[in-house]
Amino acid sequence: MLNVGIIGASGYAGEELIDILLSHPQARINYLAAKIDMSQPITKIFPRFKERTALICNNEIDLKEVCTKCDLVFLALPHTVSMEFAPKLLAAGKKVIDLSADYRLKDVSLYEKFYGVKHKDKARIKEAIYGLPEIYRNRIKPAKLIANPGCYPTVSLLALAPLLAFNLIEPESIIIDAKSGTTGAGRKAALEFFFSEINEDLRAYKVNAHQHMPEINQELSFLAGKKIAVTFVPHLLPVNRGILATIYAKKSNKVPPKIGETSPAKLAGTKSQSHKLLDIYKKFYKDELFVRVKEEKEFPNLKDVRGTNFCDIGIHDDKDKIIVIACIDNLLKGASGQAVQNMNIMYNFPEYTALL
């Protein structure tokens, strides 16, 4: 049995982690902590867990207790806070899955620019593995520190990876128009997230300046083998959870390489252009349980992925450009579900355990 702890258990991501892990047959939650006024049963914070657990959520983080009780620790903390605890846990021989952005960006100057603080653990940034299983599974398996991806980057990277892998688009032409539910901002009191402020409204924010943008650029650049700078415009939806991204990119004039034994040219036959793209996507993700590619002229919506760890993708071929529409639940595939998926890989559990 794997003993796990959650630091930051009172947030949206922490709540989802508790829910998933209480159903995990090979993991046991042994420690909870959060920034709360006083230690109390987690069922006082989240009554829905009554009869499922008697765990106490601590209001002070006792690292000695964490290290005694846990093999793996999930850090479901705000950005800029995880780097206070991850080094101490790793030094004690514990594995860490960090749901914040503290270890995602390899360029420290970008982290400091977008998050507004000096990084306190620069030495471990290099050893942190970016936890997107569909791309980095082999590196995740032996990792000790996982930088769990952000929600916007997860949906964007999964939507674009096949196009970049097979040189189907001009990387500099990528435009990402993404819309997220309010839980993406975390559980905090702020005027702009009050019900009366967001209800019956839709707004763009942090236009081409969102903190997830350098993360998207970094990972797309790795995939493309060249520097990429996308245009990224996020929007706030008046819903609790879910992300829908509509992505536009200009077609490349390059001939894509073969996909296994079948080239895109052979796939064409009498099929439409969209159908050829579908074949490419289906082959790319054929072994990926949590990526579902829609059929031709079918596109995903939030209700299809809400409460799941799936990413649904639809593709449209539009003459000189390609349009990809993708959806995830920002709290699951965009946070806690993906974190548990990473845990399953690290400990050789079936990857879908507690996620289906």
Side-chain angles (χ1 to χ4, degrees):
M1 183 68 69
L2 176 67
N3 296 312
V4 303
I6 303 170
I7 298 178
S10 64
Y12 292 127
E15 180 182 4
E16 293 295 337
L17 279 171
I18 295 168
D19 187 39
I20 297 168
L21 292 168
L22 286 176
S23 299
H24 200 294
Q26 293 166 291
R28 174 174 53 207
I29 305 173
N30 269 4
Y31 184 87
L32 296 175
K35 188 177 180 180
I36 50 179
D37 292 334
M38 58 186 294
S39 297
Q40 57 189 294
I42 194 65
T43 54
K44 288 287 187 181
I45 302 171
F46 302 122
R48 71 191 186 101
F49 295 135
K50 283 183 178 179
E51 312 304 329
R52 294 183 67 190
T53 182
L55 282 164
I56 299 296
C57 185
N58 300 281
N59 71 332
E60 297 286 344
I61 299 169
D62 186 333
L63 286 174
K64 185 176 180 181
E65 184 180 358
V66 177
C67 293
T68 299
K69 291 184 174 181
C70 304
D71 307 304
L72 167 73
V73 181
F74 292 94
L75 298 179
L77 294 164
H79 307 307
T80 76
V81 178
S82 288
M83 59 184 167
E84 298 276 356
F85 300 101
K88 297 170 185 176
L89 293 167
L90 292 164
K94 306 305 168 182
K95 293 188 178 183
V96 173
I97 297 178
D98 178 25
L99 278 74
S100 84
D102 285 6
Y103 294 93
R104 294 176 192 161
L105 295 176
K106 300 303 181 184
D107 185 337
V108 177
S109 66
L110 282 175
Y111 174 87
E112 294 177 349
K113 173 184 175 182
F114 278 86
Y115 292 93
V117 299
K118 291 288 185 182
H119 203 290
K120 298 177 181 179
D121 190 30
K122 297 176 183 178
R124 285 187 173 82
I125 291 176
K126 288 184 179 180
E127 72 179 71
I129 301 302
Y130 193 72
L132 189 61
E134 291 77 13
I135 305 298
Y136 296 117
R137 184 175 288 105
N138 292 338
R139 298 182 64 194
I140 291 166
K141 196 174 183 65
K144 294 180 180 179
L145 172 59
I146 296 293
N148 210 62
C151 49
Y152 282 129
T154 293
V155 70
S156 301
L157 296 170
L158 291 176
L160 286 163
L163 299 180
L164 289 173
F166 296 110
N167 299 311
L168 297 175
I169 57 172
E170 297 293 344
E172 64 276 7
S173 71
I174 297 171
I175 299 172
I176 302 171
D177 179 321
K179 300 171 178 66
S180 174
T182 59
T183 52
R187 181 179 270 123
K188 60 186 177 185
L191 176 62
E192 63 264 37
F193 300 120
F194 288 178
F195 176 80
S196 55
E197 297 295 324
I198 63 172
N199 187 43
E200 298 183 8
D201 195 13
L202 173 63
R203 72 182 75 145
Y205 67 102
K206 295 183 180 179
V207 175
N208 221 34
H210 193 279
Q211 64 271 19
H212 283 176
M213 192 169 70
E215 184 181 338
I216 293 170
N217 288 338
Q218 170 183 280
E219 295 303 318
L220 290 180
S221 297
F222 289 159
L223 286 170
K226 60 185 288 188
K227 189 173 181 179
I228 290 179
V230 302
T231 298
F232 177 59
V233 183
H235 302 74
L236 182 65
L237 282 171
V239 301
N240 288 339
R241 57 201 296 168
I243 288 180
L244 186 147
T246 303
I247 302 172
Y248 309 86
K250 185 179 179 181
K251 287 182 184 175
S252 169
N253 293 323
K254 298 175 183 176
V255 177
K258 291 185 177 181
I259 309 170
E261 295 299 318
T262 308
S263 69
K266 289 182 180 178
L267 287 170
T270 58
K271 299 176 183 177
S272 70
Q273 291 284 14
S274 291
H275 208 139
K276 285 190 289 183
L277 282 171
L278 282 175
D279 287 334
I280 291 169
Y281 269 77
K282 287 180 178 180
K283 284 183 177 291
F284 192 89
Y285 287 121
K286 65 183 177 67
D287 296 321
E288 300 301 338
L289 174 64
F290 291 114
V291 178
R292 304 184 298 197
V293 180
K294 292 281 191 178
E295 295 300 325
E296 187 175 11
K297 296 182 180 180
E298 292 182 1
F299 301 98
N301 57 58
L302 295 183
K303 288 184 178 179
D304 291 344
V305 297
R306 190 176 299 147
T308 81
N309 196 55
F310 291 107
C311 175
D312 284 3
I313 300 175
I315 308 101
H316 177 68
D317 190 303
D318 190 37
K319 296 181 181 178
D320 63 338
K321 61 181 174 289
I322 295 172
I323 302 171
V324 185
I325 300 171
C327 279
I328 61 168
D329 184 317
N330 59 292
L331 294 180
L332 290 173
K333 186 57 176 169
S336 302
Q338 185 146 261
V340 173
Q341 187 180 353
N342 281 317
M343 181 195 78
N344 288 340
I345 294 169
M346 294 166 73
Y347 288 92
N348 295 313
F349 302 145
E351 199 166 319
Y352 55 80
T353 305
L355 295 173
L356 291 177

